[in-house]
């Protein structure tokens, strides 16, 4: 079985390394881009199964990038997870309008990212004995804000 390809688009090397550290423990092929334009090209060339993008990207911001991916017949069905520094109503509406599978506020919990990635890809969610304080809930393919406990 081929590994699922996850494209991470973020301007911060530290954040890309952090996401790598979290997701490399799972069976994903991880690809990276440092700005929106590079991410757009990688989305078309590398055919990822999932895109994780920051909302604040250089050259081409995450909103414009997501809109372009949604308007291209080759990339319109790629699930997208959007990261942002501020979780607020306006951001939640933007993510919903862009048909994002999920959105996470930074700093997000490792388990929240793993949950969101697996849910967006349609994978079984890894089991855990701990009650996780998710700052993300996904219901009926619509991102919903939730408060961690």
């Amino acid at each position: 079985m081929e590994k699922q390809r996850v494209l991470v688009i973020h301007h911060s090397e530290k954040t890309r390394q952090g996401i790598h550290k979290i997701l490399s423990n799972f069976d994903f092929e991880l690809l990276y881009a440092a700005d929106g334009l590079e991410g757009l090209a990688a989305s078309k060339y590398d055919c990822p199964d999932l895109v994780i993008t920051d909302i604040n990207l250089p050259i081409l911001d995450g909103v414009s990038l997501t809109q372009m991916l949604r308007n291209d017949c080759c990339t319109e069905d790629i699930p997208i997870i959007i990261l942002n520094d501020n979780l607020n109503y306006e951001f939640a509406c933007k993510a919903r309008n862009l048909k994002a599978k999920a959105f996470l506020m930074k700093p997000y919990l490792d388990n929240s990212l793993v949950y969101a990635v697996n849910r967006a890809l349609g994978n079984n969610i890894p089991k855990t004995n701990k009650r996780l304080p998710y700052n993300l809930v996904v219901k009926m393919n619509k991102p919903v804000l939730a408060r961690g406990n």
Side-chain angles (χ1 to χ4, degrees):
M1 183 173 170
E2 249 182 71
K3 289 185 177 187
Q4 292 174 307
R5 303 178 87 176
V6 177
L7 173 61
V8 178
I9 309 168
H10 202 285
H11 62 278
S12 166
E13 176 68 26
K14 183 177 178 182
T15 300
R16 289 192 307 269
Q17 288 174 354
I19 292 172
H20 176 83
K21 183 178 177 184
I22 296 166
L23 295 181
S24 64
N25 295 319
F26 299 89
D27 202 24
F28 301 118
E29 180 181 347
L30 300 170
L31 311 165
Y32 301 94
D35 64 58
L37 197 55
E38 186 180 326
L40 181 63
S43 296
K44 292 180 180 190
Y45 179 77
D46 294 321
C47 303
D49 297 299
L50 173 70
V51 170
I52 300 173
T53 184
D54 188 43
I55 206 79
N56 300 311
L57 294 171
I59 303 176
L60 181 65
D61 67 80
V63 172
S64 300
L65 167 69
T66 303
Q67 289 170 334
M68 293 174 88
L69 292 174
R70 290 291 175 244
N71 291 328
D72 186 318
C73 64
C74 296
T75 58
E76 66 187 352
D77 294 326
I78 298 173
I80 299 172
I81 295 174
I82 299 177
L83 307 176
N84 192 25
D85 293 327
N86 302 310
L87 191 57
N88 57 41
Y89 182 75
E90 180 184 343
F91 173 67
C93 289
K94 277 184 187 177
R96 185 172 292 125
N97 290 337
L98 294 169
K99 299 178 184 164
K101 286 290 187 179
F103 54 90
L104 292 169
M105 181 182 76
K106 296 181 282 183
Y108 42 81
L109 301 168
D110 295 3
N111 291 322
S112 295
L113 180 61
V114 172
Y115 177 87
V117 167
N118 280 295
R119 181 73 184 250
L121 289 168
N123 298 338
N124 291 328
I125 307 302
K127 301 284 186 209
T128 181
N129 294 329
K130 297 180 192 174
R131 182 169 181 232
L132 301 174
Y134 291 119
N135 60 349
L136 161 78
V137 175
V138 182
K139 293 183 179 179
M140 297 184 292
N141 294 328
K142 293 182 182 177
V144 179
L145 295 175
R147 183 180 303 220
N149 295 329

